[in-house]
């Protein structure tokens, strides 16, 4: 039996009683959204698995046999905090493989004058429709690459604690305890033409990264805007992991790009 060490009030277990997914429910997340989130995080066709409510009080000891009926994942009922088990559609234990895809690291101190390598590699510039004359060659200065946020909400957004789903009428989801009360609200959109609105594909990508960051059993990746945690070799982290190399490339781009004519 294993459990995630991060704070969450909804836990998804496998048939061997290991926590494989989870999140913090502030009240707005529906089962239809969970179906979408599991599609992002589970490497199995959705017809091969089902979710059941654990019937034991507190932390379950035998979720594979002590559970209720399967839950309708297409329903619009809110997810109640508690423990759930993911089994085959007929209620038998099944090997649930979680994607190895990880959320792309971000930095709160990101400078809009310095297009980072992810902007180029993601070819976001080709999707920008803004026809203003001052967006620059990279188009990173476009109004489509920005939303107006309070400073503390900006920090939540950069750390994938809060995200906006353009496929759900721009609904706001807060993946951590939400003292600000933003969870379940909707992004206020202006009456400007679509090519001056925030780019849907960028918001959708950010929302996907937030799901990966918060739903997987390990919880959010460590904070990329702060020092590498004590005990971790920073050189080894840069040399041996994809994420470390990406962080190094991002930091170098932020520092050097302002010296290059865009």
């Amino acid at each position: 039996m294993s459990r995630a060490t991060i704070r969450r009030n909804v836990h998804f277990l496998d048939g061997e009683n290991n926590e494989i997914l989870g999140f913090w429910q502030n009240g707005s997340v529906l089962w239809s959204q969970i179906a979408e989130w599991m599609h992002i995080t589970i490497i199995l066709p959705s017809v091969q698995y089902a979710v059941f409510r654990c019937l034991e009080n507190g932390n379950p000891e035998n979720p594979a046999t002590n559970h209720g009926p399967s839950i309708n994942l297409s329903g619009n009922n809110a997810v109640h905090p508690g423990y759930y088990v993911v089994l085959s559609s007929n209620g038998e234990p099944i090997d649930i493989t979680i994607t190895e895809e990880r959320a792309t690291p971000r930095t709160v101190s990101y400078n809009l004058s310095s297009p980072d390598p992810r902007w180029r590699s993601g070819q976001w510039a080709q999707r920008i429709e803004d026809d203003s004359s001052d967006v620059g060659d990279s188009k990173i200065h476009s109004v489509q690459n920005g939303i107006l946020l309070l400073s503390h909400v900006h920090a939540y957004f950069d750390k994938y604690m809060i995200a906006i789903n353009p496929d759900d009428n721009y609904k706001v989801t807060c993946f951590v305890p939400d003292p600000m009360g933003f969870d379940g609200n909707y992004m206020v959109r202006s009456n400007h033409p679509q090519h001056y609105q925030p780019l849907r594909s960028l918001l959708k990508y950010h929302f996907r990264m937030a799901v990966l960051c918060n739903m997987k059993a390990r919880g959010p990746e460590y904070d990329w805007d702060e020092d590498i945690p004590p005990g971790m070799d920073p050189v080894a982290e840069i040399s041996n992991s994809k994420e470390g190399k990406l962080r190094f490339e991002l930091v170098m781009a932020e520092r050097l790009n302002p010296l290059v004519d865009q």
Side-chain angles (χ1 to χ4, degrees):
M1 179 179 73
S2 66
R3 294 289 184 267
T5 57
I6 64 171
R7 186 182 182 189
R8 52 178 41 158
N9 59 4
V10 177
H11 312 259
F12 294 102
L13 314 176
D14 63 14
E16 297 182 351
N17 203 12
N18 296 311
E19 186 164 346
I20 53 174
L21 298 171
F23 68 101
W24 184 270
Q25 168 67 300
N26 286 292
S28 77
V29 178
L30 311 177
W31 280 111
S32 56
Q33 293 174 262
I34 293 299
E36 176 190 353
W37 297 3
M38 287 188 168
H39 178 73
I40 292 172
T41 53
I42 295 179
I43 307 179
L44 274 180
S46 59
V47 295
Q48 294 186 16
Y49 61 85
V51 178
F52 304 80
R53 180 70 184 258
C54 296
L55 298 180
E56 298 173 80
N57 292 327
N59 197 345
E61 294 183 1
N62 194 8
T65 58
N66 199 350
H67 59 76
S70 62
I71 295 171
N72 179 12
L73 295 184
S74 63
N76 286 324
N77 297 320
V79 180
H80 293 293
Y83 288 87
Y84 300 85
V85 60
V86 183
L87 304 169
S88 68
S89 55
N90 61 1
E92 298 295 326
I94 186 175
D95 184 18
I96 302 294
T97 303
I98 304 300
T99 180
E100 295 184 1
E101 183 182 1
R102 299 174 64 181
T104 304
R106 296 171 58 90
T107 58
V108 176
S109 57
Y110 178 53
N111 183 344
L112 286 182
S113 67
S114 312
D116 68 56
R118 292 166 297 156
W119 179 267
R120 296 192 181 96
S121 63
Q123 298 182 331
W124 298 119
Q126 285 82 345
R127 305 186 188 190
I128 294 292
E129 300 172 348
D130 183 358
D131 57 3
S132 301
S133 59
D134 57 351
V135 297
D137 293 337
S138 68
K139 298 187 178 180
I140 200 168
H141 299 290
S142 168
V143 295
Q144 289 194 282
N145 183 38
I147 53 177
L148 183 62
L149 299 171
L150 297 172
S151 59
H152 58 291
V153 181
H154 183 196
Y156 269 52
F157 189 87
D158 275 338
K159 296 178 181 180
Y160 298 122
M161 295 177 181
I162 194 169
I164 300 165
N165 187 357
D167 292 338
D168 192 11
N169 198 28
Y170 293 85
K171 181 180 178 179
V172 177
T173 298
C174 188
F175 293 89
V176 297
D178 180 26
M180 300 173 290
F182 290 112
D183 184 71
N185 288 301
Y186 295 85
M187 186 180 84
V188 177
R189 304 181 67 203
S190 70
N191 294 323
H192 294 295
Q194 183 64 36
H195 59 280
Y196 296 140
Q197 300 277 359
L199 191 65
R200 283 180 58 93
S201 55
L202 280 172
L203 287 174
K204 188 172 182 177
Y205 177 80
H206 177 269
F207 189 85
R208 177 185 176 87
M209 294 298 103
V211 170
L212 287 170
C213 186
N214 292 282
M215 271 285 279
K216 294 171 67 174
R218 66 180 292 162
E221 314 294 351
Y222 59 79
D223 194 336
W224 287 89
D225 197 55
E226 298 176 359
D227 291 337
I228 292 177
M232 180 176 289
D233 183 346
V235 176
E237 171 66 12
I238 291 173
S239 303
N240 299 329
S241 75
K242 178 181 178 181
E243 288 74 22
K245 294 175 182 177
L246 182 56
R247 180 181 184 180
F248 179 75
E249 185 177 0
L250 174 60
V251 171
M252 291 299 294
E254 286 181 331
R255 297 185 180 187
L256 296 178
N257 279 335
L259 305 178
V260 180
D261 291 334
Q262 301 289 325

